[in-house]
């Protein structure tokens, strides 16, 4: 089966579990910036984790269905209309040939995730279809281009095993309207206790210059220790450049960095930060590595079995 793109919003990307095992060559992993929302979309359809789906920034997408299928929509709160009828978020639903699915613009959150039973199919580049626009990798054409009107998304003719609609239970759905408090693990660089307190005690604002590479924060500038060497960078790393305004790195991050690292965002809080719009506020609290490891193990057991 297939879906035809009738209209496309600001940034609609094909993503999967990411381009793993290539960072030693300077290749960013890419993948969804909100891994929890993406994981729920695939779980609703019985897909294995990391099956290719769409990451839709802000909304504004219209798709025409070319064959009967099952879809799932999670992530940002946005109006979804199937042939004039509203579709609830964080749910799976059936679509039939000839129908059109219209996704309006987000009212809360930044990115929605649309999955199909069996996933979207295209030729992988370096073992992944994840779209990385900066490095021109992945996506439908393999060249890192976002989706545009006229593109055709191929997917498996699956879904017979799905008995009916279903949705994610309310306790597991994030409220994107709330000011989040995000957990931070210790970093490798020796920031003074005064500067660490300054980071945790203030409320930070999300800069409009944020993107899939990283979220830039605005607040009272920090003073970072000097560092003379670069380190490998992981998702969630909190860099503090010379201007003292922290940057939290996301899925399209660089693979090496020389700015001092104040800490690393809890892996399960990265997606919540990525859903924060420009000018919104966030707060941070210290967390332990041991608790983060336990949380991540529970997450992987639930979604990966």
């Amino acid at each position: 089966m297939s879906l035809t793109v009738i209209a496309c919003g600001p940034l609609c990307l094909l993503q999967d579990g990411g381009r793993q095992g290539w960072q030693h060559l300077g290749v960013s992993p890419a993948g969804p910036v909100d891994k929890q929302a993406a994981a729920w979309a695939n779980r609703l359809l019985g897909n294995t984790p990391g099956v290719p789906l769409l990451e839709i920034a802000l909304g504004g997408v219209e798709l025409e269905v070319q064959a009967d299928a099952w879809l799932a929509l999670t992530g940002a709160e946005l109006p979804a209309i199937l042939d004039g009828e509203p579709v609830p978020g964080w749910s799976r639903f059936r679509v039939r040939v000839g129908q059109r699915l219209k996704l309006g613009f987000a009212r809360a959150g930044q990115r929605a995730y649309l999955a199909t039973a069996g996933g979207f199919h295209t030729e992988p580049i370096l073992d992944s279809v994840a779209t990385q626009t900066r490095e021109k990798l992945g996506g439908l054409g393999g060249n890192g281009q976002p989706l545009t009107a006229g593109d055709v998304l191929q997917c498996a003719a699956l879904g017979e095993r799905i008995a009916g609609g279903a949705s994610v239970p309310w306790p597991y759905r994030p409220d994107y309207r709330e000011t989040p408090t995000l957990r931070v693990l210790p970093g490798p660089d020796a920031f003074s206790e005064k500067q660490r307190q300054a980071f945790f005690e203030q409320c930070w604002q999300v800069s409009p210059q944020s993107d899939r590479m990283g979220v830039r924060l605005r607040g009272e500038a920090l003073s970072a220790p000097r560092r003379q060497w670069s380190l490998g960078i992981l998702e969630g790393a909190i860099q503090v450049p010379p201007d003292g305004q922290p940057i939290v790195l996301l899925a399209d991050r660089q693979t090496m960095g020389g700015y001092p690292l104040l800490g690393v965002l809890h892996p399960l809080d990265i997606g919540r930060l990525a859903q924060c719009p420009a000018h919104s506020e966030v707060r941070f609290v210290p967390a332990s590595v041991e608790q983060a490891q336990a949380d991540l193990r529970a997450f992987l057991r639930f979604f990966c079995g």
Side-chain angles (χ1 to χ4, degrees), residues 8-25:
C8 215
L11 191 65
C12 188
L13 304 175
L14 189 65
Q15 298 290 352
D16 59 12
R19 197 163 277 106
Q20 307 300 325
W22 298 94
Q23 290 188 77
H24 65 294
L25 298 178

Side-chain angles (χ1 to χ4, degrees), residues 72-105:
L73 179 67
T74 62
E77 177 187 322
L78 46 72
I81 305 295
L82 181 64
D83 274 4
E85 295 296 323
V87 174
W90 294 85
S91 70
R92 74 178 180 221
F93 51 95
R94 185 158 194 169
V95 295
R96 300 188 182 277
V97 61
Q99 289 187 310
R100 287 197 177 189
L101 176 65
K102 296 182 180 181
L103 303 179
F105 287 94

Side-chain angles (χ1 to χ4, degrees), residues 249-304:
L249 299 178
L250 299 181
D252 285 359
R253 66 195 179 275
Q254 73 276 25
T255 59
M256 296 286 290
Y259 294 144
L261 299 179
L262 184 143
V264 179
L265 205 58
H266 189 300
L268 301 184
D269 288 355
I270 295 171
R272 182 63 186 87
L273 176 62
Q275 293 284 9
C276 292
H279 307 295
S280 63
E281 294 184 334
V282 296
R283 300 194 71 94
F284 299 91
V285 295
S288 71
V289 173
E290 293 76 16
Q291 186 58 54
Q293 290 173 331
D295 295 340
L296 191 56
R297 282 195 295 268
F299 174 85
L300 293 174
R301 281 196 300 268
F302 181 76
F303 285 106
C304 302

Side-chain angles (χ1 to χ4, degrees), residues 96-127:
R96 300 188 182 277
V97 61
Q99 289 187 310
R100 287 197 177 189
L101 176 65
K102 296 182 180 181
L103 303 179
F105 287 94
R107 298 177 292 222
Q110 294 284 282
R111 295 170 174 91
Y113 292 87
L114 185 71
T116 184
F120 296 105
H121 294 172
T122 192
E123 192 69 25
I125 302 295
L126 299 181
D127 307 320

Side-chain angles (χ1 to χ4, degrees), residues 44-274:
L44 281 167
L45 296 166
N47 294 338
T48 56
V51 164
L53 43 56
L54 298 185
E55 179 180 275
I56 300 167
L58 302 179
V61 170
E62 182 176 353
L63 303 167
E64 184 173 270
V65 182
Q66 303 302 325
D68 294 0
W70 283 89
L71 303 178
L73 179 67
T74 62
E77 177 187 322
L78 46 72
I81 305 295
L82 181 64
D83 274 4
E85 295 296 323
V87 174
W90 294 85
S91 70
R92 74 178 180 221
F93 51 95
R94 185 158 194 169
V95 295
R96 300 188 182 277
V97 61
Q99 289 187 310
R100 287 197 177 189
L101 176 65
K102 296 182 180 181
L103 303 179
F105 287 94
R107 298 177 292 222
Q110 294 284 282
R111 295 170 174 91
Y113 292 87
L114 185 71
T116 184
F120 296 105
H121 294 172
T122 192
E123 192 69 25
I125 302 295
L126 299 181
D127 307 320
S128 172
V129 304
T131 309
Q132 223 289 16
T133 57
R134 186 183 69 253
E135 295 170 2
K136 296 180 173 56
L137 293 174
L140 279 185
N143 57 0
Q145 292 301 304
L147 294 182
T148 61
D151 284 341
V152 177
L153 294 158
Q154 301 293 336
C155 34
L158 299 176
E160 297 84 356
R161 68 186 187 282
I162 298 176
S167 59
V168 177
W170 279 103
Y172 299 101
R173 303 186 198 184
D175 184 353
Y176 296 130
R177 298 179 188 275
E178 292 183 343
T179 297
T181 298
L182 309 173
R183 297 163 289 178
V184 174
L185 314 180
D189 290 308
F191 281 74
S192 70
E193 187 59 31
K194 179 180 179 181
Q195 291 303 305
R196 286 182 57 81
Q197 286 183 359
F199 175 76
F200 288 115
E201 288 176 357
Q202 66 175 297
C203 201
W204 295 89
Q205 188 181 83
V206 174
S207 166
Q209 279 70 51
S210 302
D211 55 21
R212 280 181 45 89
M213 186 173 180
V215 173
R216 294 178 177 269
L217 303 176
R218 289 177 172 175
E220 185 178 341
L222 302 178
S223 178
R226 295 187 63 186
R227 175 134 62 78
Q228 302 298 322
W229 60 90
S230 293
L231 297 175
I233 294 295
L234 73 162
E235 191 171 17
I238 304 172
Q239 294 185 318
V240 181
D243 67 0
Q245 304 296 316
I247 304 169
V248 186
L249 299 178
L250 299 181
D252 285 359
R253 66 195 179 275
Q254 73 276 25
T255 59
M256 296 286 290
Y259 294 144
L261 299 179
L262 184 143
V264 179
L265 205 58
H266 189 300
L268 301 184
D269 288 355
I270 295 171
R272 182 63 186 87
L273 176 62

